[in-house]
């Protein structure tokens, strides 16, 4: 191994790593605040205090609260896309992949602060001065794509319309996660998703 390879990382590399770590900590703290208090009531001081830092440290990475909300929302969609990608890489039959995807998404809505924050920020989107993605489009396209593949395999009832079934599934999921959040902080999310799969998909949840 060359002597270069054994040397400590340059100071600039350490500084960059520290900045990346701090930005991730800020996003997590902001997600907690947005998820729990909502966008209007959250302050930059809240975020700083949640991560044990100064307001200056937050402002070094994010110009204002709008920028923080935009970054949390971007991470929200990145996590939804990454999870959908992981499901699709499992090589499951499309009808099984749909069930797996919705079950995992339900668990993320219950357990992942960034997901919980992203869902609330999109509800409060009219209060946020940032270009947030149009909600539901990406997720609905993913589910509808899997439904089309299921239909092509004969796993849907004859005459089923994947576009309609996709909108119904996503609408039911979004409504159920919202009701579950309001009524019990999403504690019963797994049961709510199970009911949707059993009711909306042919052959029920376990097919
Ligand atoms: C996901 C939300 C909340 C859809 O935009 C989106 O895809 C979503 C935005 O409000 O959940 C998952 C049902």
């Amino acid at each position: 191994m060359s002597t270069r390879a054994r040397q400590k990382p340059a100071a600039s590399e350490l500084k960059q790593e520290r900045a990346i770590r701090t930005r991730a900590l800020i996003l997590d703290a902001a997600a907690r605040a947005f998820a729990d208090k909502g966008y209007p009531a959250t302050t930059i001081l809240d975020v700083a205090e949640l991560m044990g830092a100064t307001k200056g440290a937050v402002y070094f990475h994010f110009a204002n609260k709008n920028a923080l909300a935009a970054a949390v929302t971007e991470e929200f969609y990145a996590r939804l896309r990454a999870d959908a990608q992981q499901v699709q890489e499992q090589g499951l039959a499309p009808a099984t992949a749909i069930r797996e995807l919705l079950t995992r998404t339900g668990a993320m809505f219950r357990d992942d602060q960034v997901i919980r924050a992203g869902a609330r920020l999109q509800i409060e989107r009219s209060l946020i001065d940032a270009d947030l993605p149009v909600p539901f489009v990406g997720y609905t396209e993913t589910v509808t794509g899997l439904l089309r593949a299921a239909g092509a395999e004969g796993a849907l009832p004859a005459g089923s319309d994947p576009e309609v079934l996709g909108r119904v599934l996503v609408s039911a999921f979004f409504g159920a996660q919202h009701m579950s959040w309001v009524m019990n902080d999403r504690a019963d999310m797994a049961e709510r998703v199970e009911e949707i799969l059993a009711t909306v998909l042919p052959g029920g949840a376990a097919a």
Side-chain angles (χ1 to χ4, degrees), residues 26-148:
I26 294 170
L27 277 187
D28 279 344
R32 269 185 286 150
F34 289 143
D36 293 347
K37 298 177 72 171
Y39 179 80
T42 294
T43 66
I44 294 292
L45 181 59
D46 290 331
V47 176
E49 288 178 342
L50 276 170
M51 60 181 285
T54 62
K55 285 170 63 175
V58 179
Y59 279 120
F60 180 79
H61 290 271
F62 297 95
N64 50 42
K65 194 168 67 166
N66 290 324
L68 256 182
V72 170
T73 304
E74 183 181 340
E75 180 63 19
F76 165 75
Y77 284 111
R79 292 187 186 189
L80 284 178
R81 285 193 300 271
D83 191 63
Q85 181 66 29
Q86 283 179 21
V87 169
Q88 290 171 307
E89 285 169 356
Q90 290 179 21
L92 300 168
T96 307
I98 294 166
R99 292 170 171 83
E100 175 73 1
L101 175 64
L102 285 168
T103 302
R104 288 165 62 128
T105 304
M108 291 167 80
F109 271 75
R110 184 190 61 223
D111 304 333
D112 182 321
Q113 283 295 359
V114 168
I115 296 295
R116 295 163 64 89
R120 185 164 184 172
L121 288 170
Q122 281 289 38
I123 291 170
E124 298 168 344
R125 59 189 276 114
S126 62
L127 306 174
I128 303 169
D129 183 14
D131 289 332
L132 302 185
V134 177
F136 307 114
V137 172
Y139 196 87
T140 305
E141 283 173 355
T142 300
V143 170
T144 305
L146 288 170
L147 285 164
R148 284 198 197 97

Side-chain angles (χ1 to χ4, degrees), residues 14 38 94 97 103 117 162-163 166 171-172 187:
L14 288 174
T103 302
E163 307 272 340
S171 304

